[in-house]
């Protein structure tokens, strides 16, 4: 049989034509690698920039938190001094000395954080002697009392020197916080712009399989990180919303929310006379009540603080009924604690709850090795002051006018107990307890 000498189709094509597909694939591979390198380099620069901006956001939040704590500690010291002079009970000197010690530790933190800002450094230089003068005024009254002249000490308090000094301190701290707040807003704008640019780069590189794999791994890592540092109630919501929106909470945002502060009364006295196991069981039972009430009413537990808790409503997703949820939480928690008390042999547990609503900053701050979900703002401070005021008015729950208005609660359910300013504030502040 004569062999077929007809060339095969591949043999009939010119060599250049046969090499064309190979060159095309090689070109596409090279182009893809070059594009990946280009996009990767651009994203690397943007991520480094974003990291720098996030570091600055963390810096401003640290300064703001420390300033708030300095003012709170100073107010606690003053309250302790007043309580001691009025009652003679040395227990009031504990917050007085503790506040002094904390401020002594907080001022060096501010000094280190504000070195890059001449304006803030100047304000801090004015703040230090003002605080020293305030403590000198407090010390003078205590010295008079130790010398047996309590009437003279009280007369010095009534003269108002300390109030003028405290007002000056508050003005300095408010001006410092205002500057940090302006910086925070600017940093957040930069961070969101960077985030948008990174998103564009990701769209350009969507066809490159290697980059898609990298992005998938990064997404998995981010989701795994969420479960380590966020409240359990918050992680599922962020997986559906926060991450897909570009991690808005990682950059922080302002949000109208409702806040509930909770504290267990008399826990210090219980801890002094009870064994550690009993104390642990008591705190665990209290926290279970808080967790159940928050879960049933849609609250997110920001943090537990010893025998207290901060519960937030309306984050990370805004809700029109956030204030109503917070008030429902207070009622549910009162009921759960009552049920818990009914099953205990020990003395019943008493609690205090303060509810307020307003604008807050909410976000996840810190370095990747130490992240923290946090809620900051004046609304948080007011809720804490309301919780403290429950001791004064002998009630379990106190709610602000703003919370009642936002929740559209019937006035028949609540009665006004005071219009006096809360501790640390100057304006009249209507507060309400449950109607009998």
């Amino acid at each position: 049989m004569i062999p077929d000498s007809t060339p095969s189709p591949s043999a009939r094509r010119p060599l250049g034509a046969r090499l064309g597909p190979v060159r095309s694939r090689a070109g596409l591979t090279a182009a893809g690698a070059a594009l990946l390198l280009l996009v990767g380099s651009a994203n690397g620069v943007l991520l480094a920039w974003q990291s720098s901006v996030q570091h600055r956001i963390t810096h401003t939040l640290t300064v703001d938190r420390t300033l708030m704590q300095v003012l709170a500690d100073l107010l606690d010291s003053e309250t302790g001094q007043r309580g001691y002079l009025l009652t003679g009970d040395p227990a009031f000197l504990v917050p007085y000395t503790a506040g002094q010690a904390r401020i002594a530790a907080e001022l060096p933190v501010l000094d280190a954080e504000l070195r890059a800002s001449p304006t803030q450094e100047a304000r801090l230089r004015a703040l230090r002697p003002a605080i020293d003068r305030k403590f000198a005024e407090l010390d003078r009254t205590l010295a008079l009392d130790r010398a047996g002249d309590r009437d003279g000490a009280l007369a010095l308090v009534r003269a108002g020197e300390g109030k003028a000094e405290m007002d000056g301190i508050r003005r300095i701290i408010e001006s410092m916080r205002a500057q940090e707040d302006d910086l925070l807003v600017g940093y957040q704008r930069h961070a969101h712009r960077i985030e948008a640019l990174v998103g564009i780069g990701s769209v350009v590189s969507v066809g490159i399989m290697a980059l898609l794999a990298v992005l998938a791994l990064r997404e998995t890592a981010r989701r795994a990180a969420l479960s380590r540092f966020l409240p359990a109630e918050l992680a599922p919501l962020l997986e559906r919303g926060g991450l897909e929106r570009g991690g808005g909470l990682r950059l922080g945002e302002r949000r109208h929310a409702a806040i509930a502060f909770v504290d267990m009364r008399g826990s210090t006295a219980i801890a002094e006379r009870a064994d550690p196991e009993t104390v642990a069981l008591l705190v665990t039972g209290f926290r279970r009540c808080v967790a159940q009430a928050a879960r049933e009413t849609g609250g997110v537990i920001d943090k537990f603080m010893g025998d207290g808790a901060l519960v937030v409503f309306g984050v990370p997703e805004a809700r029109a009924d956030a204030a109503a949820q917070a008030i429902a939480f207070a009622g549910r928690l009162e009921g759960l604690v009552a049920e818990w008390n009914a099953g205990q042999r020990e003395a019943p547990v008493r609690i205090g709850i303060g509810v307020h609503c307003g604008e807050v900053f909410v976000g996840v701050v810190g370095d990747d090795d130490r992240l923290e979900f946090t809620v900051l703002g004046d609304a948080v401070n007011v809720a804490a002051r309301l919780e403290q005021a429950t001791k004064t008015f002998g009630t379990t729950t106190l709610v602000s006018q703003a919370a009642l208005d936002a929740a559209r609660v019937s006035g028949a359910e609540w009665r006004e107990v005071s219009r006096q300013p809360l501790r640390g504030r100057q304006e009249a502040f209507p507060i309400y307890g449950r109607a009998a």
Side-chain angles (χ1 to χ4, degrees):
M1 182 175 180
I2 300 173
D4 185 3
S5 59
T6 304
S8 67
S10 61
R12 287 200 301 265
R13 292 199 304 268
L15 180 60
R18 280 181 278 153
L19 291 178
V22 177
R23 288 172 178 168
S24 297
R25 287 194 295 271
L28 287 174
T29 301
L35 180 60
L36 179 59
L37 180 62
L38 179 63
V39 173
S41 299
N43 279 346
V45 172
L46 290 171
L47 290 171
W49 188 13
Q50 186 180 53
S51 177
S52 174
V53 172
Q54 288 175 348
H55 176 75
R56 293 175 187 178
I57 289 175
T58 301
H59 165 82
T60 59
L61 290 173
T62 299
V63 172
D64 186 76
R65 284 200 304 269
T66 307
L67 287 168
M68 289 169 57
Q69 193 60 53
V70 167
L71 183 58
D73 291 337
L74 193 55
L75 290 169
D76 287 344
S77 294
E78 184 179 54
T79 300
Q81 173 249 17
R82 300 290 194 267
Y84 174 72
L85 292 178
L86 291 171
T87 66
D89 185 352
F92 281 101
L93 293 178
V94 174
Y96 173 74
T97 55
Q100 281 185 312
R102 286 194 297 268
I103 290 175
E106 289 154 0
L107 288 177
V109 174
L110 288 174
D111 186 55
E113 294 288 342
L114 297 176
R115 286 174 184 169
S117 172
T119 303
Q120 293 288 62
E121 273 194 314
R123 291 184 178 127
L124 183 59
R125 284 195 297 271
L127 180 62
R128 283 179 177 275
I131 291 175
D132 290 341
R133 289 193 297 272
K134 178 60 183 176
F135 276 118
E137 179 262 333
L138 298 177
D139 289 339
R140 281 198 299 275
T141 62
L142 295 177
L144 285 172
D145 181 76
R146 285 193 293 270
D149 187 8
R150 177 162 295 177
D151 290 340
L154 291 172
L156 188 60
V157 171
R158 287 192 289 269
E161 176 187 345
K163 182 180 185 303
E165 196 67 66
M166 181 62 80
D167 289 343
I169 291 171
R170 187 178 285 108
R171 283 192 295 271
I172 294 173
I173 289 179
E174 286 175 354
S175 65
M176 295 176 77
R177 290 187 63 199
Q179 179 167 329
E180 295 302 319
D181 191 64
D182 290 341
L183 289 172
L184 179 62
V185 171
Y187 293 152
Q188 287 174 331
R189 286 200 200 98
H190 286 310
H192 286 296
R193 290 193 194 104
I194 297 167
E195 185 183 23
L197 292 174
V198 172
I200 293 172
S202 298
V203 170
V204 171
S205 60
V206 69
I208 304 173
M209 296 303 297
L211 183 57
L212 286 176
V214 171
L215 291 176
L217 289 173
R218 288 179 60 191
E219 181 75 1
T220 301
R222 288 176 64 191
R223 290 179 185 271
L226 285 177
S227 64
R228 290 199 304 271
F229 63 79
L230 288 177
E233 300 91 342
L234 198 64
L237 296 176
L238 282 177
E239 289 179 2
R240 293 197 305 270
L243 288 174
E244 281 71 15
R245 290 198 303 266
L249 284 178
R250 187 64 180 91
L251 302 176
E253 58 189 11
R254 295 195 178 277
R255 177 70 57 78
H256 189 86
I259 308 295
F261 246 99
V262 187
D263 186 56
M264 184 166 60
R265 300 282 180 252
S267 60
T268 302
I270 294 172
E272 289 175 353
R273 65 174 183 267
D275 59 84
E277 182 179 357
T278 300
V279 174
L281 290 173
L282 187 70
V283 173
T284 299
F286 165 72
R287 291 187 174 187
R288 284 176 178 167
C289 290
V290 173
Q292 181 177 341
R295 184 171 59 252
E296 293 179 2
T297 56
V300 173
I301 299 175
D302 179 331
K303 57 178 68 69
F304 282 108
M305 301 160 288
D307 57 355
L310 170 59
V311 186
V312 190
F313 301 81
V315 295
E317 297 173 346
R319 293 186 61 97
D321 61 346
Q325 287 182 317
I327 293 174
F329 163 81
R332 181 58 177 143
L333 182 57
E334 287 188 38
L336 288 171
V337 170
E339 294 173 9
W340 180 39
N341 283 331
Q344 287 199 124
R345 298 178 183 175
E346 301 293 333
V349 170
R350 295 179 297 109
I351 61 172
I353 309 171
V355 179
H356 183 55
C357 67
E359 186 179 77
V360 297
F361 170 88
V362 56
V364 178
V365 300
D367 298 323
D368 289 341
D369 293 334
R370 189 181 180 88
L371 292 164
E372 177 186 1
F373 174 71
T374 188
V375 178
L376 298 172
D378 188 59
V380 179
N381 299 336
V382 171
R385 298 302 187 202
L386 286 169
E387 178 273 310
Q388 293 170 8
T390 60
K391 304 173 188 176
T392 303
F393 295 103
T395 186
T396 300
T397 300
L398 285 178
V399 181
S400 69
Q401 180 76 62
L404 289 180
D405 290 344
R408 298 178 182 175
V409 174
S410 168
E413 299 177 31
W414 299 86
R415 61 181 178 86
E416 184 177 310
V417 298
S418 173
R419 279 184 174 265
Q420 297 300 313
L422 291 171
R423 182 167 64 88
R425 306 182 71 85
Q426 294 181 340
E427 72 275 13
F429 201 90
I431 57 178
Y432 297 81
R434 293 190 187 279

